[in-house]
């Protein structure tokens, strides 16, 4: 996710599709109206919010009220203060700003201004505060993709240290860090927790379940390809299915007389093109080494680390950013975009391409963000049944020819609360109370229903989502299933996410236009990444985890070593494999 403030960011674009936000969405939901704070009023407010808004919950009403009582008492030293926090513009944070901030103020007496701005602007404010030392916001929600940057700097207050020391009195006894499904994403190389997850969403495989289960369509596919139409396990099967729907179904690539496509993507030279790749496309192909969450010693960006020190991206330094697996990944992306997606897709960016599957002419999409789930379930859409259930489903994404068991298989966005050392202690404490409030078990299930961005395992396994799972097209089953752990954000090998992420879209774009070959694009990217790593090395950024580049050697040396980078495969296709979706779901439920 690049940080060009002129371009809508990935999560912000998701929100634009999900809901048309009202003008001035940066309003604080909880400005206190004045008057003396009374605990009796706060308890009455807690009763009202728990009874009318914070339901359903995984806690009993008595447990919820006890949790709210703790917040009220812990906030006593900070009553009357006005705290400023900021997050990107997505539906989950809109719910926090408009509802939870108001509740927090009524229960604690701390006035809260929760600004909603574009993700790039969040990072700009964060960087300005880091560089200038002047407090702008008292807490930030920013992606855990910055964990490698935060952990190497000296400006973020590690939450592990804060909760055990300065912030002990304002750390909730019911916080339950182990219940957060993304806590590993916000843990640094030193094993300290730096950020608290507030919302998460994944990219997954999306497909038209109604078409895939149609007997006539299934017969046509089997007759043409010799195996069953189903959820593709690998890229070979995905490619066959893309070809089938684009050109062959019903003899001419149509269903009910309407032209359909076997793939959807986007290719405009635009910062959002970078997310398409840094959000784990290379790992899906099999780039880097196995290892959850990000591959060690070579991660899903192709960066090699030794004892937490990044030592290179290029194959000649032991990296894999321009190795055979990465080149294969970029090649397939370009080929599928041109062959199987609607012609206009090559000129679209993320926000323009996102709504296209809901129009009803796309059979599958290998790379689909679950933040679009709510938008895909609106009544009256071509992809929604009359009873409100979806005609589509989501499943694990297929993997490429270089992928091995133990590799990550996809990406999860994890927007997370971050505290800075430059924030005054009292303001930091009050903001930390709010961060815990909006992620507390009292409110988190209702927030999950509003935004479908799960953070707690207890919410995913709640009775509510058990009863309503069919409304979400497999999303609940995915998060309850064993595959979930293979979807992770950018990891700690990336020492300066803002600078390195900008390189990706610029180099991928030239492959789309044909200005460079996929190999040339990835060679350029790897060299540019190494140049930035070299500059960070000279600065000593990261202390004991600062980059220290390997000397360049002949690529053959590294290709002959165990693990990544691996030599080019003689067969980059392999045997296509599919799974029956209903059997896959049954398997997940059995594992659960």
């Amino acid at each position: 996710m690049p940080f060009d403030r002129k371009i809508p960011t990935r999560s912000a674009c998701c929100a634009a599709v999900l809901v048309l936000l009202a003008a001035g969405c940066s309003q604080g939901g909880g400005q206190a109206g004045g008057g003396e704070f009374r605990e009796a009023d706060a308890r009455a407010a807690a009763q009202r919010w728990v009874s009318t808004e914070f339901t359903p919950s995984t806690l009993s009403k008595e447990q919820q009220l006890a949790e709210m009582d703790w917040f009220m008492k812990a906030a006593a030293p900070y009553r009357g203060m006005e705290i400023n926090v900021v997050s990107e513009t997505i539906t989950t944070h809109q719910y926090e700003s408009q509802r939870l901030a108001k509740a927090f103020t009524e229960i604690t007496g701390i006035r809260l201004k929760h600004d909603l701005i574009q993700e790039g602007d969040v990072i700009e404010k964060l960087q300005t505060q880091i560089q200038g030392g002047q407090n702008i916001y008292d807490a930030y929600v920013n992606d855990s993709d910055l964990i490698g940057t935060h952990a190497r700097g000296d400006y973020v207050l590690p939450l592990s240290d804060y909760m055990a020391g300065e912030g002990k009195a304002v750390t909730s006894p019911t916080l339950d860090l182990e219940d957060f499904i993304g806590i590993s994403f916000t843990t640094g190389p030193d094993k300290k927790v730096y950020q608290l997850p507030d919302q998460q969403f994944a990219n997954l495989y999306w497909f038209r379940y109604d078409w895939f289960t149609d007997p006539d369509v299934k017969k046509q596919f089997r007759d043409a390809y010799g195996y069953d139409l189903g959820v593709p396990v690998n890229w070979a099967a995905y490619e066959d299915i893309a070809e089938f729907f684009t050109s062959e179904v019903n003899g001419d690539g149509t269903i009910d007389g309407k032209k359909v496509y076997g793939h959807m993507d986007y290719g405009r030279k635009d910062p959002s093109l970078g997310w398409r790749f840094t959000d784990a496309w290379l790992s899906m192909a099999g780039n880097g080494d196995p290892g959850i969450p990000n591959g060690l010693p070579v991660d899903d960006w192709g960066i090699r680390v030794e004892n937490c020190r990044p030592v290179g991206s290029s194959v000649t330094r032991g990296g894999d950013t321009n190795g055979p697996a990465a080149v294969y990944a970029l090649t397939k992306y370009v080929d599928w975009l041109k062959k199987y997606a609607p012609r206009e897709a090559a000129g679209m960016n993320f926000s323009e391409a996102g709504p296209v599957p809901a129009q009803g002419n796309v059979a599958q999409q290998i790379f689909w963000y679950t933040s679009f789930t709510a938008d895909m379930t609106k009544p009256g859409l071509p992809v929604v049944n009359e009873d409100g259930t979806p005609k589509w489903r989501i499943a694990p994404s297929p993997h490429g020819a270089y992928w091995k068991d133990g590799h990550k298989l996809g990406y999860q966005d994890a927007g997370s609360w971050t505290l800075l050392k430059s924030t005054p202690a009292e303001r930091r404490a009050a903001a930390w109370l709010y961060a815990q409030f909006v992620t507390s078990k009292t409110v988190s299930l209702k927030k999950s229903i509003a935004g479908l961005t799960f953070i707690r395992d207890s919410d995913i396994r709640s009775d509510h989502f058990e009863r309503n799972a069919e409304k979400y097209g497999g999303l609940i089953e995915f998060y309850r299933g064993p595959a979930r752990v293979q979807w992770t954000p950018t990891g700690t090998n990336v020492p300066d996410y803002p600078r390195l992420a900008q390189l990706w879209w610029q180099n991928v774009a030239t492959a789309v236009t044909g200005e460079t070959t996929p190999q040339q694009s990835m060679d350029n990217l790897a060299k540019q990444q190494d140049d930035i790593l070299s500059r960070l090395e000279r600065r000593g950024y990261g202390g004991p985890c600062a980059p220290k580049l390997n000397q360049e050697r002949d690529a053959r040396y590294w290709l002959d070593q165990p693990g990544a980078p691996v030599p080019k495969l003689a067969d980059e296709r392999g045997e296509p494999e599919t799974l029956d979706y209903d059997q896959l779901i049954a398997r997940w439920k059995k594992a659960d």
Side-chain angles (χ1 to χ4, degrees), residues 26-35 49 80-85 96-115 137 427 434:
S26 64
Q27 79 273 14
Q31 297 284 351
W49 283 100
M81 295 178 65
E82 179 173 296
I83 301 304
N84 301 311
V85 303
E96 292 168 342
S97 177
Q98 294 182 348
R99 301 297 292 160
L100 298 185
K102 186 175 190 295
F104 178 76
T105 292
E106 292 183 2
I107 293 168
T108 66
I110 298 171
R111 292 180 291 171
L112 203 291
K113 187 171 186 291
H114 185 153
D115 282 353
Y137 285 102
R427 302 190 67 82
Y434 178 67

Side-chain angles (χ1 to χ4, degrees), residues 538-561:
R538 290 195 296 271
R539 287 172 47 199
Y541 182 79
C545 290
K548 188 176 183 180
L549 286 180
N550 284 333
Q551 293 296 314
E552 290 197 84
R553 309 180 68 152
D554 185 88
R556 190 75 254 166
Y557 168 82
W558 288 106
L559 292 168
D560 287 343
Q561 303 302 309

Side-chain angles (χ1 to χ4, degrees), residues 514-584:
E515 298 169 61
T516 56
T517 66
Q519 182 70 66
Q520 290 168 335
S521 290
M522 299 312 284
D523 286 344
N524 293 338
L525 173 61
K527 181 182 184 305
Q528 291 167 21
Q529 286 200 151
D530 282 347
D531 288 344
I532 288 179
L533 294 178
S534 179
R535 291 200 292 272
L536 295 174
E537 178 180 359
R538 290 195 296 271
R539 287 172 47 199
Y541 182 79
C545 290
K548 188 176 183 180
L549 286 180
N550 284 333
Q551 293 296 314
E552 290 197 84
R553 309 180 68 152
D554 185 88
R556 190 75 254 166
Y557 168 82
W558 288 106
L559 292 168
D560 287 343
Q561 303 302 309
V566 300
K568 181 178 173 64
L569 297 175
D571 176 13
E572 288 188 327
R573 175 173 165 84
E575 287 295 318
E577 181 183 355
T578 58
L579 283 174
D580 178 84
Y581 176 78
D582 295 313
Q583 292 181 8
L584 174 66

Side-chain angles (χ1 to χ4, degrees), residues 372-412:
F372 287 112
T373 302
D375 191 62
M376 285 283 194
T377 57
K378 292 179 179 177
L381 285 175
V383 295
V384 176
N385 293 310
E386 289 185 4
D387 64 359
T389 57
K391 295 179 181 179
W392 51 267
R393 298 291 188 272
I394 51 180
S397 300
H399 57 71
Y402 291 83
W403 191 89
K404 301 180 180 65
D405 285 339
H407 266 110
K408 67 181 288 184
L409 192 47
Y411 173 85
Q412 284 197 66

Side-chain angles (χ1 to χ4, degrees), residues 35-55:
E36 184 179 351
F37 178 90
R38 297 187 303 175
E39 288 193 1
D41 293 339
R43 289 194 172 91
Q47 285 273 1
R48 184 177 69 255
W49 283 100
V50 165
S51 299
T52 62
E53 179 70 23
F54 304 152
T55 180

